[in-house]
């Protein structure tokens, strides 16, 4: 009986190996999880890398920067995507679990402010955004900003945000609210696309997310550092040169310095080929690139 069990175990293992190899060389799997902002470009990287190295499969999933970093802390991913920097308490927890988080900048993003297409607002300041989003903020209606939005009953602003496990949420809070709290009553959306969809359909709404999620059906706000100051439009160029007030780096985290097939994949992401893909997706590359 024991020999029969060993035979069956060997047979199952052999079948699994053939399945993983596709009858040829065994494939390596890279687990990649995290930022909703980065998930689309991460999927594009994974798909394109199949033509570079068919023996490596990159399994991509979203869930937010906090989700990816938590998976890195627990040792269940090879690459954690994040649209915010890892926190000191997360580093401490990772080290306690025997992990060594290493940060890699893979691009830059302009965090865009979205208005409904009929909203006459063209520009907004960081101070005004804090008045709309921040706890205790006194900007409650569009008329408080000197405009009237067609189709917006009572002119009350519908404040659209992200869930608190999102790196976009954390970056907006730190950069716009000075690490203060969001006001109660914000509509916290699971993903960036959900933010855009709600703003598109809701005349009273304002929202924020990565520039790459913008569509032709919403307006992008020109953002000024101070009310009455000159504003800057979100774009790849203004994210690269840092002139846009709420531009941010985009990260991947590894456990220790990456080696082997994970290191090769990350090096490819940082190469011209990988960086041209992130540029095509509407983000700013981490380095100067030449794209055909």
């Amino acid at each position: 009986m024991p020999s029969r069990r060993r035979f069956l175990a060997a047979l199952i293992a052999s079948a699994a190996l053939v399945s993983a190899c596709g009858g040829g060389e065994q494939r390596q799997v890279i687990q990649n999880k995290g930022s909703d902002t980065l998930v689309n470009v991460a999927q594009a990287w994974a798909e394109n890398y199949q033509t570079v190295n068919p023996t490596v499969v990159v399994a991509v999933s979203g869930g937010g920067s906090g989700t990816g970093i938590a998976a890195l802390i627990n040792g269940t991913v090879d690459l954690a995507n994040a649209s915010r920097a890892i926190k000191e308490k997360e580093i401490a927890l990772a080290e306690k679990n025997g992990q060594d988080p290493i940060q890699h900048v893979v691009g830059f993003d302009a965090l865009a402010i979205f208005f409904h297409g009929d909203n006459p607002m063209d520009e907004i300041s960081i101070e005004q955004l804090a008045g709309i989003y921040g706890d205790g903020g006194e900007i409650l209606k569009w008329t408080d900003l000197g405009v009237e939005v067609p189709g917006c009953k009572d002119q009350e602003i519908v404040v659209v945000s992200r869930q608190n496990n999102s790196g976009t949420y954390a970056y907006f809070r730190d950069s716009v609210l000075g690490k203060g709290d969001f006001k109660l009553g914000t509509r916290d959306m699971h993903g960036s696309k959900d933010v855009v969809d709600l703003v598109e359909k809701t005349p009273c709404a304002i929202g924020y997310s990565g520039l790459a999620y913008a569509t032709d059906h919403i307006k992008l706000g020109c953002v000024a550092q101070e009310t009455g100051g000159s504003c800057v439009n979100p774009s790849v160029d203004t994210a690269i040169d840092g002139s846009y007030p709420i531009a941010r780096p985009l990260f991947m985290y590894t456990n220790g310095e990456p080696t082997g097939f994970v290191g090769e994949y990350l090096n490819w992401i940082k190469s011209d080929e990988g960086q041209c893909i992130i540029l095509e997706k509407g983000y700013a590359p981490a380095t100067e690139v030449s794209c055909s």
Side-chain angles (χ1 to χ4, degrees):
M1 185 65 71
S3 61
R4 177 178 173 80
R5 283 199 294 267
R6 284 196 295 270
F7 171 76
L8 288 173
L11 187 63
I12 292 169
S14 177
L17 181 62
V18 170
S19 176
C21 298
E25 187 176 355
Q26 184 175 5
R27 290 188 175 187
Q28 304 284 355
V29 178
I30 296 174
Q31 295 294 338
N32 180 205
K33 179 181 287 189
S35 168
D36 179 70
T37 298
L38 268 171
V39 70
N40 287 342
V41 70
Q43 289 170 340
W45 278 329
E47 291 167 6
N48 280 271
Y49 196 66
Q50 279 285 280
T51 64
V52 177
N53 187 348
T55 67
V56 174
V57 176
V58 184
V60 176
S61 59
S65 299
T67 300
I69 291 172
L72 183 74
I73 291 170
N74 295 330
T76 57
V77 293
D78 302 292
L79 291 167
N81 301 334
S83 57
R84 62 154 173 93
I86 191 170
K87 302 172 184 176
E88 289 295 331
K89 63 181 181 181
E90 291 170 331
I91 295 174
L93 185 56
E95 292 174 345
K96 184 178 179 181
N97 286 358
Q99 311 296 320
D100 178 24
I102 301 294
Q103 177 179 285
H104 310 270
V105 177
V106 295
F108 293 89
D109 178 35
L111 202 162
I113 305 302
F114 301 132
F115 303 127
H116 186 270
D118 293 335
N119 193 322
M121 287 284 291
D122 293 314
E123 60 184 72
I124 195 164
S125 69
I126 299 296
E127 179 185 15
Q128 290 168 332
L129 287 169
I132 293 170
Y133 278 91
D135 185 28
E138 296 181 352
I139 299 176
L140 305 176
K141 296 188 175 186
W142 288 110
T143 49
D144 295 334
L145 294 169
V147 299
E148 289 193 18
V149 180
C152 178
K153 184 179 179 181
D154 300 326
Q155 297 300 309
E156 292 185 2
I157 300 174
V158 174
V159 183
V160 185
S161 184
R162 289 291 311 279
Q163 292 181 324
N164 62 10
N165 68 335
S166 161
T168 300
Y169 168 101
Y171 183 79
F172 186 91
R173 180 194 61 207
D174 294 350
S175 300
V176 175
L177 306 183
K179 298 188 178 181
D181 292 330
F182 283 81
K183 67 174 53 170
L184 296 176
T186 62
R187 301 196 183 182
D188 300 336
M189 311 306 290
H190 180 71
S192 295
K193 184 178 183 301
D194 300 324
V195 171
V196 173
D197 288 346
L198 183 56
V199 173
E200 178 186 335
K201 297 171 184 174
T202 311
C204 299
I206 184 173
Y208 64 87
S209 78
L211 176 62
Y213 283 86
T215 71
D216 295 335
H217 307 294
I218 55 174
K219 289 179 68 174
L220 297 178
C222 186
V223 179
Q225 190 67 49
E226 299 177 352
T227 303
S230 59
C231 66
V232 179
N233 286 304
S235 70
V236 168
D237 289 339
T238 58
I240 291 174
D241 65 24
S243 61
Y244 184 67
I246 38 180
R248 57 180 174 166
L250 301 172
F251 307 106
M252 281 184 164
Y253 287 92
T254 57
N255 176 26
E257 291 294 345
T259 59
F261 58 92
V262 175
E264 291 170 3
Y265 179 57
L266 193 53
N267 286 337
W268 175 82
I269 285 173
K270 295 178 181 179
S271 73
D272 275 12
E273 187 174 356
Q275 289 296 290
C276 286
I277 291 171
I278 197 171
L279 181 60
E280 289 170 5
K281 290 295 181 179
Y283 302 94
T287 57
E288 290 188 16
V289 293
S290 176
C291 303
S292 57

